[in-house]
């Protein structure tokens, strides 16, 4: 049973992320486990929707001797749960996975579980806990000589630095991520690192063509390998760069490209964040009606998948209504979802 779910979940996750960022070597499935044959992304999404409760139960209840199945199942289901904003469930799965990997003295399992927990704690805004897990993961990936793992940790540490406004430190992490991804021959990773380098350059006040050049290099790479998620992220990065350069029309076009691609992959979380960013760009471009429409679409998604931390988005909507009551329906009284 565990072989069935592990191998099917791994195959489904590979359909959602064709160029896997976390390469895992699975043990061969036992005869009779009969992993399902999934043909495309839609079938993978449908399988996760139907089977996620069973996979989560299998992670929690796997008996002694199946520690590798436990952490690999948690890793395989992470993309699906993350895109749906199901972070408490994902945190529980990675915690169980980490305990299992520690019992087995499996350093690869421990490194990946720490990385998974760090991502979840970041989403839940528990940044001190996230940083602690990232640092533990980094130590293990260094010990293992895992360039992909070290690159991923540098990427996320860079984003933590960026969130607190230290763009110089963030840029250093992004360059280190690129170096490790290049050593691992990971083209998707290199593209993501180039995206981040472009973002941090623009925030440091670098030359606009330098920032855009990194974003365009990244887009060429992800288009070459055909990775839809990578393309979505790259368009988001280009929209970020254009916005901060005051090129609002180009930023809006890039936002829309990203949103269309996130919808194709059913990535509800990033669809919501991109709609929020699109609203911010419309607002900066002095279009309160378009901003309100994008923000309310984002709020509908965040409410649908019960994302935490929606107070700032609700505040934007209400403030926009207060400032432009004639241009921006509906009123808070007619839409209870807007109330704090």
């Amino acid at each position: 049973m565990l072989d069935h779910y592990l191998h099917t979940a791994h195959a489904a996750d590979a359909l959602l992320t064709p160029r896997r960022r976390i390469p895992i070597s699975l043990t061969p499935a036992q005869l009779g486990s009969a992993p399902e044959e999934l043909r495309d992304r839609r079938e993978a999404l449908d399988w996760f929707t139907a089977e996620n409760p069973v996979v989560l139960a299998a992670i929690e209840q796997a008996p002694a001797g199946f520690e590798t199945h436990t952490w690999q199942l948690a890793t395989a289901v992470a993309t699906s749960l993350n895109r749906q904003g199901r972070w408490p469930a994902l945190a529980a799965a990675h915690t169980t996975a980490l305990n299992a990997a520690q019992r087995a003295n499996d350093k690869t399992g421990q490194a990946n579980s720490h990385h998974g927990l760090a991502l979840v704690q970041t989403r839940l805004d528990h940044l001190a806990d996230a940083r602690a897990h990232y640092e533990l993961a980094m130590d293990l990936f260094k010990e293992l000589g895992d360039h992909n793992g070290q690159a991923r940790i540098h990427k996320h540490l860079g984003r933590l630095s960026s969130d607190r406004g230290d763009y110089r430190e963030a840029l250093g992490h992004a360059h280190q991520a690129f170096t490790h991804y290049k050593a691992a021959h990971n083209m998707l990773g290199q593209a993501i690192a180039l995206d981040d380098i472009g973002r941090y350059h623009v925030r440091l006040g670098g030359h606009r063509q330098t920032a855009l050049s990194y974003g365009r290099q990244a887009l060429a790479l992800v288009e070459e390998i055909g990775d839809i998620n990578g393309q979505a992220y790259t368009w988001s990065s280009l929209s970020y760069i254009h916005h901060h350069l005051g090129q609002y029309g180009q930023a809006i076009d890039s936002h829309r490209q990203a949103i269309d691609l996130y919808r194709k992959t059913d990535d509800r979380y990033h669809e919501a964040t991109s709609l929020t960013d699109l609203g911010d760009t419309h607002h900066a471009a002095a279009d309160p009606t378009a901003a309100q429409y994008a923000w309310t679409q984002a709020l509908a998604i965040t409410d649908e998948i019960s994302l935490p931390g929606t107070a700032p988005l609700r505040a934007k909507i209400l403030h926009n209504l207060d400032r432009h009551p004639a241009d921006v329906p509906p009123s808070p009284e007619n839409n209870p979802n807007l109330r704090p």
Side-chain angles (χ1 to χ4, degrees):
M1 182 190 75
L2 289 172
D3 277 352
H4 170 86
Y5 281 108
L6 175 58
H7 283 264
T8 307
H10 183 79
D13 189 45
L15 287 168
L16 299 186
T17 54
R19 297 277 176 156
R20 290 185 56 81
R21 300 173 198 176
I22 308 175
I24 292 175
S25 298
L26 302 183
T27 55
Q30 290 189 27
L31 188 65
S33 60
E36 296 191 32
E37 295 183 6
L38 304 171
R39 294 171 294 183
D40 54 32
R41 182 179 292 105
R42 184 72 262 164
E43 288 191 1
L45 288 168
D46 290 344
W47 186 86
F48 274 125
T49 299
E51 299 293 349
N52 265 340
V54 182
V55 176
L56 290 172
I59 292 168
E60 293 299 325
Q61 298 177 31
F66 290 90
E67 286 80 9
T68 300
H69 285 75
T70 301
W71 75 259
Q72 290 187 344
L73 271 170
T75 300
V77 80
T79 298
S80 170
L81 293 177
N82 184 53
R83 290 182 184 177
Q84 298 302 315
R86 296 185 59 194
W87 298 316
L90 187 53
H94 279 310
T95 299
T96 300
L98 178 59
N99 292 335
Q102 288 173 335
R103 286 197 307 272
N105 195 28
D106 183 337
K107 292 182 178 179
T108 300
Q110 291 174 50
N112 281 282
S113 298
H114 278 302
H115 173 255
L117 279 168
L119 285 173
V120 173
Q121 297 301 333
T122 302
R123 295 283 191 247
L124 293 171
D125 206 29
H126 301 158
L127 301 185
D129 289 340
R131 182 171 290 277
H133 282 294
Y134 281 135
E135 290 172 353
L136 288 165
M138 179 69 88
D139 289 343
L140 287 161
F141 283 130
K142 282 182 179 177
E143 185 177 345
L144 293 164
D146 185 332
H147 285 292
N148 272 308
Q150 292 175 73
R152 286 185 282 127
I153 302 305
H154 277 300
K155 173 184 70 177
H156 294 300
L157 287 173
R159 291 176 191 176
L160 287 181
S161 299
S162 173
D163 287 344
R164 68 169 188 268
D166 191 341
Y167 301 112
R168 183 69 59 189
E169 183 177 277
L171 183 60
H173 281 299
H175 277 292
Q176 289 186 74
F178 181 81
T179 298
H180 283 293
Y181 277 132
K182 192 170 184 179
H185 308 290
N186 185 331
M187 290 180 66
L188 174 59
Q190 290 174 59
I192 292 170
L194 289 168
D195 279 330
D196 289 342
I197 291 169
R199 284 175 181 248
Y200 304 145
H201 265 294
V202 77
R203 293 310 300 262
L204 286 166
H207 193 277
R208 67 176 56 190
Q209 290 306 319
T210 300
L212 287 170
S213 173
Y214 282 113
R216 288 167 181 155
Q217 288 178 61
L219 185 60
L221 276 175
V222 291
E223 287 180 340
E224 179 182 343
I225 62 179
D227 187 281
I228 294 178
N229 293 96
Q231 291 173 44
Y233 182 79
T234 299
W235 281 112
S236 290
S237 293
L238 284 168
S239 66
Y240 179 94
I241 293 169
H242 284 304
H243 178 106
H244 286 281
L245 293 175
Q247 300 169 343
Y248 299 129
Q250 291 160 288
I252 289 165
D253 289 342
S254 298
H255 280 307
R256 289 174 176 159
Q257 292 274 10
I259 291 164
D260 286 345
L261 290 165
Y262 285 132
R263 285 172 177 160
K264 286 183 180 180
T265 60
D266 202 34
D267 190 335
R268 304 292 279 158
Y269 170 74
H270 283 106
E271 181 185 351
T273 57
S274 291
L275 282 164
T276 302
D277 293 341
L278 174 61
D280 293 346
T281 300
H282 280 304
H283 184 263
D287 189 342
T289 303
Q292 192 78 352
Y293 182 67
W295 286 334
T296 52
Q297 282 186 300
L299 184 61
I301 295 171
T302 62
D303 285 345
E304 177 188 335
I305 62 177
S306 301
L307 295 182
T310 60
L313 177 57
R314 295 176 195 276
K316 287 179 185 181
I317 294 171
L318 289 170
H319 182 68
N320 202 36
L321 285 165
D322 289 341
R323 292 196 61 188
H324 307 281
D327 300 324
V328 184
S331 68
E333 293 77 14
N334 294 331
N335 189 344
N337 289 330
L338 302 187
R339 297 173 190 160

